[in-house]
Amino acid sequence: MDTSTIISIKELPPEENMLPGTAACAGCGGLLTLRYCLKALGDKIIIVNAAGCFTLLTIYPFSPFRNSWLYTAMACAPAGAQGVRDALDILIKKGKLDPEENLKVVVLSGDGSAYDMALSSTSGAIYRNLDFYYICYDNEAYGNTGFQHSGASPFGSRTGTTPPGKEVPVGSQLQKKNLFDIWNSHKPPYIATVSPAYPVDLMNKFKKAEQFKGPKLFISHIPCPPGWGFDPSRSVRLAKLSVETGLWPLKESVHGEVEHTYVPKRFKPVEEYLKEQERFSHLFKPVRQEDALKSIQEMVDEYWKKHEFLP
Amino acid sequence: MGKEMLTGNGAAAWGVRLAEVDYIPAYPITPQTEIIETIAKWISDGSMDASFVTMDSEHSMITAAGAASATGARTFTTTSSQGLLYGFEMIYTVAGWRVPLVMVNVSRGLSSPITLGPDHNDILAVRDSGFLQIHCETCQEVLDSVLMAYRLAEDERVLLPVMVNMDGFYLSFTREAVEIPDMEKVRSFLPEYRPEHAFFRAAKPMAQGVAVLGGDFYSYFKYQMHLASQNALEVYKEVCDDFEKKFGRKYGTIDEYMLEDAEYVLVMINSFSTLGKAAVKRARENGIKVGLLRPRFLRPFPESEIKNALEGKKAVAVIDQNISVGKGGIIYSEMAGCLYNEVDKPLLLSFIGGLGGKNISQEEFEFIFEKMISASDTGIVEPPSLLYTESELEGMTKLKEIAGKE
C-alpha cells in the first residue's frame, strides 16, 4: 500500500472488499467502519472474527468478503490470529508455502469481546508481539444479544442490564474502560481510535500502521441505531457528534507516544450528542439529571485539559 | 533407533517429533508439562524444526492450535484436567472446523476437591465433542498412537481432531522401554501433511466456521461429523494394518486379554487395565475363567467389536475410573447402551474405582470376580458400588477427626 497521507475522501480506494447484502442492521456504524478498513487492508487478508454482531455477516453459504474468514469465539480471536500467523510463518519458512500466498491477519471484534472477555487473550497476543491488526467496533454494549451493559458502556447510559429506575435513575453507574490505555500499557507499535465519520483519518491511520510489524489496534466508536435508539439515517451524524463533542478523541499511539489526529476547533456541548439518543433520554426527562449531565461534561473537559487542548 | 527408557510424557514428545509437527502452541499444567518442556528443548537445540509458542491459557492454546491446523500446518498440543475444561468451549469449535489436530490429554481428576491424581472425568467430559479418543495403556502405545492419530485425522474420510489419552503419574511419569521408530520408516507411514481440503491462502479465500441459521443445516453438519467419526473405525483398521507391517506392533480398536475362552470379563481403560490383567492372570491360576477387554477407542465407540468380543460371556464387570455424579460410571452406561439390544447379553456389573488415582488392590479385583460369579449363578446383579476398602475408610476417618468433623 502507498503509505503517503491522503487529504480527501476522493482518494479512498474505489475497490470494495466488502459487498452489500449483509444481515447487519440499517445504519450500522460498524459495517461502515469495516468497509473503510477493508479498503485500506485489501483482500489478501484473513479476518479472525470473535463472536458478536459480525458473526452474522457470513451465514452459510454466503459471505460478503473477498477475503478469508475464520469464526472463533468471544474470548479468543487474538489466539486464533496467533495460530494462523504462526502457521503461515512456519510453512513459508519450511518452503511449504509460496510467500505470495501469505495473508495479513486481522481480528474483528465487538466491544464485549475486546473490552471484557478477550482481554486475556488480547494481552497475550500483544505481549507476544503478534503481527496482526485488531479492529474493534465499539457500540458500547453487547449489541448482538440486544444491547446489554459491557465494559465499554458509558456512565449514564441505558442498556438492557442497566435500566434506569427509581433506585438507580442514572442507568449505568460505571465509567467506560479505557481500552486505548490498556493496549498502550503493553507498548505495541501502533494504536488508533477511528470513526466512520472520518474516513480520511481512518485511511491514513491504516497507511501509517502498515509500516509496523507487531500488534496494531483500531477502535472505532460506532453508532448502533437499535441499541442507541435513533433513526438509521442519522448514524454518521452521531459518529461525528461523538468526536465534535470531545467524547471520542481521534488519536494514535506510535510506540507509546500519543498524538491527537483531529481536535475540534470548538467543542460542542456533550448534551448535543446525548439528547439525540434514546439510551440517554432518562437524563433529560421526566426530570433533568443535572448532576449526571454535569459529570459527563466534566469528564470530557478534564480529558482535554489534561492534554492541553482546553485551558 | 532402538529402545530407550521413556516416560509416557517422553513417549508422547517423541511421537510429536517423529511426526515432524510444524507448530505447537502450549500451556503448562501438571502432569503434562514434561511433554512441552521436552519439545521446547528439542526446538531450542535444533533437533526439531517446528514453531513453539507458550499461550496465555488453554482456551487460547486450543484456539491457536485449531486455527493453525485450519491454515494447513501439522499441529500438536497437549493438556490435562482443568486445562482441558478451560479449553472446553474451543474443543467443540475446533472439532466443528474439521481440522486434523492431534492433542494429548494426560488424565487427572477434576476440582473440587483439587487433586493431582488421575481419573478419566476430564477426558470423558469432552466425549461428545467430535474429537476422536484413543486411550493408552503403555508408553509405547502413547508414542505409536500419536503417529497413528495423525494418519487417522488427516485421512479425507475422517478429518476430525484426535485426542490421545494417558493416565497422569501412572503412565506420564513411569519409565518403560520404548522402541523409537526409525525416522524414514515413520515418513513412509505418515507422509508430510499437504492438505487438499481446506486451508487459508491468498489466492483461494475461504470462510471457516460460518454460522448456519436453522436446525436443518445445523443437523446436516453435525451428522456429517458423526458419519466421519464412524468412518474412522474402518480407516483405523487400515492404519493399524499398515502400522503393523511397518513397525511390527499390532493395535485395534479394542484390546483383548485372555478373552477367547473367558466366562467373566473385566472392562477397563488406560494404564489401570495393566492391574486388571495381572489380576486376571492370577485368577486364571486359580481356575477362574476371566479375561479383560480394554476399549482403545471411546470415540468412535467400537460397538460391533465389543459385541463380538462379549458374545456368550456370563458376566461383565465395568470398572469406571470416573463418576458421572447422579448417575454412576460413564463407561458402564456406554456398555449398557451397546449391549441392550443383544439377545444373549451378559450380565453387566458396575464398579467405580481408581478415582483420583486411588489404587485398585488384588483383593478388590477378587471381590469383583466373586460378584460376577455370584451374579451369574443367581441371575441377580447387585447395584453399582464404589471400590473402597475398610483401611481406606479408616484413613479417611482419621483425617475427618483432625478436621474436627467426626
Side-chain angles (χ1 to χ4, degrees):
Chain A
M1 184 164 68
D2 172 16
T3 54
S4 57
T5 307
I6 66 167
I7 50 167
S8 149
I9 199 162
K10 287 181 192 158
E11 295 172 68
L12 293 178
E15 294 84 13
E16 296 292 350
N17 291 320
M18 211 196 63
L19 306 171
T22 71
C25 305
C28 172
L31 204 63
L32 190 50
T33 292
L34 184 58
R35 187 182 146 217
Y36 293 133
C37 293
L38 295 186
K39 276 177 182 285
L41 288 165
D43 59 0
K44 283 190 167 188
I45 65 166
I46 172 169
I47 293 175
V48 183
N49 206 127
C53 290
F54 285 179
T55 312
L56 296 178
L57 292 183
T58 52
I59 300 173
Y60 190 83
F62 304 108
S63 167
F65 301 114
R66 293 192 190 279
N67 51 269
S68 283
W69 184 94
L70 170 68
Y71 165 78
T72 54
M74 277 194 78
C76 58
Q82 181 89 41
V84 175
R85 180 71 269 148
D86 290 345
L88 291 168
D89 287 346
I90 186 78
L91 292 175
I92 290 170
K93 185 180 160 232
K94 285 186 171 184
K96 293 182 187 177
L97 178 65
D98 183 347
E100 283 292 304
E101 291 278 26
N102 202 359
L103 294 163
K104 286 180 202 161
V105 182
V106 182
V107 162
L108 180 59
S109 87
D111 52 275
S113 167
Y115 283 71
D116 289 342
M117 208 197 249
L119 258 189
S120 161
S121 66
T122 304
S123 172
I126 311 170
Y127 167 71
R128 293 185 298 267
N129 202 33
L130 179 68
D131 188 27
F132 78 129
Y133 294 82
Y134 192 128
I135 300 166
C136 167
Y137 51 99
D138 178 3
N139 68 357
E140 306 194 314
Y142 288 89
N144 200 30
T145 41
F147 215 72
Q148 296 81 27
H149 189 265
S150 86
S153 301
F155 172 80
S157 66
R158 175 210 309 267
T159 71
T161 46
T162 55
K166 194 159 72 72
E167 293 297 321
V168 191
V170 79
S172 172
Q173 297 171 287
L174 301 172
Q175 297 288 351
K176 185 181 175 84
K177 280 190 209 173
N178 191 332
L179 189 64
F180 188 94
D181 281 3
I182 292 170
W183 266 70
N184 215 20
S185 68
H186 289 71
K187 302 215 174 359
Y190 192 80
I191 316 171
T193 58
V194 294
S195 164
Y198 295 80
V200 173
D201 178 78
L202 181 151
M203 178 62 70
N204 282 326
K205 283 170 174 168
F206 272 91
K207 278 169 168 271
K208 192 165 189 174
E210 176 88 4
Q211 63 186 292
F212 302 111
K213 198 170 156 58
K216 297 168 274 277
L217 170 71
F218 299 82
I219 323 170
S220 185
H221 192 234
I222 60 140
C224 167
W228 291 11
F230 66 88
D231 187 275
S233 67
R234 297 176 75 78
S235 202
V236 175
R237 177 189 158 80
L238 265 172
K240 202 166 169 109
L241 270 176
S242 78
V243 174
E244 295 289 332
T245 54
L247 261 163
W248 188 248
L250 292 178
K251 57 185 175 180
E252 63 185 7
S253 163
V254 177
H255 293 300
E257 286 296 312
V258 179
E259 288 211 17
H260 288 80
T261 56
Y262 173 80
V263 181
K265 287 195 179 68
R266 193 183 66 78
F267 289 95
K268 291 182 172 162
V270 291
E271 270 193 43
E272 271 193 44
Y273 166 78
L274 301 176
K275 72 184 184 201
E276 294 238 0
Q277 304 169 52
E278 193 55 39
R279 65 173 173 154
F280 293 113
S281 62
H282 59 282
L283 300 180
F284 300 96
K285 59 188 183 198
V287 286
R288 260 179 83 86
Q289 297 194 40
E290 210 58 67
D291 288 353
L293 289 167
K294 205 172 140 212
S295 93
I296 296 170
Q297 185 65 61
E298 277 172 3
M299 183 197 75
V300 173
D301 292 347
E302 267 167 36
Y303 175 87
W304 291 103
K305 275 179 196 162
K306 196 178 101 189
H307 290 93
E308 300 179 349
F309 290 102
L310 274 183
Chain B
M1 281 185 71
K3 286 197 173 186
E4 267 191 42
M5 290 299 284
L6 293 181
T7 60
N9 282 341
W14 263 106
V16 177
R17 175 168 163 170
L18 292 169
E20 296 183 288
V21 165
D22 298 308
Y23 182 50
I24 305 103
Y27 194 82
I29 181 170
T30 300
Q32 162 277 117
T33 33
E34 188 190 2
I35 300 175
I36 57 167
E37 283 179 353
T38 306
I39 293 169
K41 184 176 162 291
W42 284 334
I43 291 172
S44 177
D45 70 19
S47 47
M48 195 176 153
D49 184 14
S51 166
F52 179 95
V53 57
T54 306
M55 296 298 290
D56 40 274
S57 72
E58 288 89 351
H59 193 282
S60 286
M61 175 189 91
I62 293 165
T63 310
S69 205
T71 312
R74 187 174 279 162
T75 305
F76 172 80
T77 194
T78 171
T79 189
S80 179
S81 187
Q82 299 295 121
L84 181 61
L85 261 64
Y86 195 64
F88 196 136
E89 180 190 23
M90 294 314 289
I91 290 288
Y92 269 75
T93 306
V94 166
W97 292 347
R98 302 290 305 269
V99 293
L101 169 67
V102 172
M103 174 159 144
V104 165
N105 184 67
V106 186
S107 267
R108 172 182 145 189
L110 294 172
S111 292
S112 275
I114 192 164
T115 186
L116 295 173
D119 62 40
H120 303 140
N121 265 102
D122 56 355
I123 182 98
L124 293 177
V126 299
R127 186 185 50 165
D128 307 325
S129 63
F131 268 70
L132 313 185
Q133 290 196 6
I134 302 175
H135 293 254
C136 301
E137 185 187 349
T138 67
C139 295
Q140 183 72 59
E141 196 178 341
V142 170
L143 190 157
D144 295 348
S145 294
V146 169
L147 297 177
M148 286 190 281
Y150 280 107
R151 262 284 292 268
L152 193 58
E154 290 168 7
D155 192 290
E156 63 178 13
R157 293 163 288 177
V158 179
L159 285 177
L160 283 168
V162 182
M163 274 190 219
V164 175
N165 195 56
M166 72 172 119
D167 286 322
F169 296 85
Y170 286 95
L171 207 56
S172 67
F173 297 149
T174 297
R175 276 180 203 277
E176 294 176 344
V178 175
E179 174 86 33
I180 299 174
D182 178 70
M183 189 70 246
E184 283 309 314
K185 253 194 202 172
V186 172
R187 282 188 187 132
S188 74
F189 172 76
L190 179 68
E192 187 180 286
Y193 179 46
R194 293 275 185 184
E196 296 284 331
H197 44 283
F199 45 86
F200 300 118
R201 295 291 181 272
K204 197 180 153 199
M206 175 186 78
Q208 171 69 285
V210 176
V212 288
L213 292 187
D216 303 2
F217 316 125
Y218 183 81
S219 306
Y220 176 84
F221 284 113
K222 281 288 167 183
Y223 199 66
Q224 286 295 317
M225 288 171 74
H226 176 67
L227 293 177
S229 186
Q230 294 289 302
N231 285 347
L233 289 167
E234 270 312 301
V235 176
Y236 188 64
K237 278 185 194 139
E238 298 170 19
V239 173
C240 287
D241 286 348
D242 195 26
F243 192 88
E244 192 186 358
K245 264 185 223 139
K246 295 214 160 76
F247 304 104
R249 287 184 291 278
K250 189 175 168 62
Y251 295 99
T253 53
I254 57 171
D255 172 24
E256 300 177 44
Y257 183 77
M258 295 192 170
L259 208 53
E260 205 169 335
D261 65 335
E263 292 173 345
Y264 309 100
V265 181
L266 292 180
V267 174
M268 299 179 77
I269 61 169
N270 286 35
S271 67
F272 270 39
S273 57
T274 307
L275 293 176
K277 286 175 181 175
V280 164
K281 204 174 164 202
R282 277 193 290 268
R284 285 275 180 169
E285 284 160 13
N286 296 328
I288 308 171
K289 286 177 116 177
V290 290
L292 184 140
L293 169 74
R294 175 173 70 92
R296 259 172 57 70
F297 264 149
L298 284 186
R299 284 294 179 272
F301 196 67
E303 286 217 4
S304 62
E305 285 86 350
I306 289 174
K307 281 177 189 170
N308 286 342
L310 297 182
E311 203 183 327
K313 308 299 178 198
K314 287 183 177 169
V316 173
V318 182
I319 306 179
D320 269 293
Q321 269 176 274
N322 63 74
I323 182 161
S324 171
V325 177
K327 176 67 174 81
I330 293 170
I331 297 172
Y332 168 74
S333 291
E334 298 261 319
M335 294 294 295
C338 172
L339 297 172
Y340 181 80
N341 281 328
E342 297 304 289
V343 178
D344 290 321
K345 50 184 172 280
L347 297 172
L348 199 59
L349 289 76
S350 172
F351 299 90
I352 290 175
L355 293 184
K358 195 186 85 64
N359 187 36
I360 304 175
S361 64
Q362 173 65 16
E363 290 70 30
E364 284 167 308
F365 282 111
E366 281 163 13
F367 169 79
I368 293 165
F369 297 146
E370 276 168 32
K371 291 287 173 193
M372 277 197 282
I373 293 165
S374 73
S376 78
D377 287 349
T378 61
I380 298 164
V381 175
E382 287 181 33
S385 62
L386 176 72
L387 299 174
Y388 211 81
T389 62
E390 285 289 334
S391 65
E392 284 162 349
L393 187 61
E394 274 169 30
M396 185 64 224
T397 307
K398 266 185 203 151
L399 294 192
K400 282 166 78 179
E401 279 168 12
I402 295 166
K405 297 288 182 192
E406 197 73 1

